Amino acid sequence: MSNEHDHGDHMDMPPSGTMPNGGMSNHMMMHMSFYWGKDAIVLFSGWPNQNLGMYVLALFFVFLLALAIEVLSILPAVKPGTKPIVGGLTQATVYAFRMGLAYLVMLSVMSFNLGIFIAAVAGHALGFFIIKTRAIATAKPAVNMPSSAGIMSKV
């Protein structure tokens, strides 16, 4: 009795890793879990191509993309007197650009490279920090405002 089952529904496929002309394929394996290393494919086929310098550049690029997403999260204010259509188009354009960058970061993180993931999170965190620090610095301080507990707040 044989444990092999042949249902007759297979196609004539070359063995894994070989090409029909007898040559070997040189495609990199796509990782499906987080891994360390410079052998990532980030956004474009062949980039960073297992080159340490290009991998560092990819990390920096993803970091800057994530930082830009957070900085662009503060849409430009519509000035009083601006035509609604112009203000709406300006905000929609900035939003579309920001979403494009966000999708690029998402696709980069989908490489499952832990370095790329850390660069993306660090870029988002630094961008958020910059935006919130700026918002706190420009906010008018509330001096001696009573809190809900009846304690005077010195913010």
Side-chain angles (χ1 to χ4, degrees):
M1 181 162 14
S2 172
N3 288 336
E4 295 180 36
H5 300 286
D6 186 10
H7 297 285
D9 58 354
H10 66 285
M11 298 177 63
D12 292 331
M13 299 289 286
S16 178
T18 62
M19 300 298 285
N21 63 3
M24 295 297 289
S25 68
N26 56 356
H27 293 288
M28 288 179 51
M29 184 181 82
M30 181 82 174
H31 292 275
M32 298 308 287
S33 60
F34 279 117
Y35 68 97
W36 282 106
K38 66 182 187 326
D39 62 334
I41 298 175
V42 181
L43 295 178
F44 307 105
S45 178
W47 188 61
N49 201 22
Q50 298 182 352
N51 181 330
L52 182 61
M54 294 304 283
Y55 177 69
V56 171
L57 181 64
L59 292 174
F60 186 67
F61 181 69
V62 170
F63 178 83
L64 288 180
L65 283 176
L67 180 93
I69 291 166
E70 295 300 325
V71 170
L72 290 174
S73 68
I74 298 179
L75 293 174
V78 178
K79 296 178 181 154
T82 303
K83 293 182 181 179
I85 191 78
V86 173
L89 283 174
T90 301
Q91 288 187 332
T93 302
V94 172
Y95 181 78
F97 184 68
R98 185 175 143 236
M99 287 298 100
L101 296 180
Y103 281 119
L104 287 175
V105 170
M106 178 200 62
L107 289 171
S108 299
V109 169
M110 287 176 60
S111 72
F112 288 101
N113 184 281
L114 205 50
I116 297 293
F117 175 76
I118 291 169
V121 171
H124 281 294
L126 182 61
F128 183 83
F129 175 76
I130 290 169
I131 295 308
K132 292 303 175 184
T133 303
R134 181 175 172 245
I136 290 169
T138 59
K140 295 182 181 183
V143 180
N144 293 333
M145 300 232 3
S147 67
S148 61
I151 299 172
M152 299 301 276
S153 174
K154 294 183 181 179
V155 178

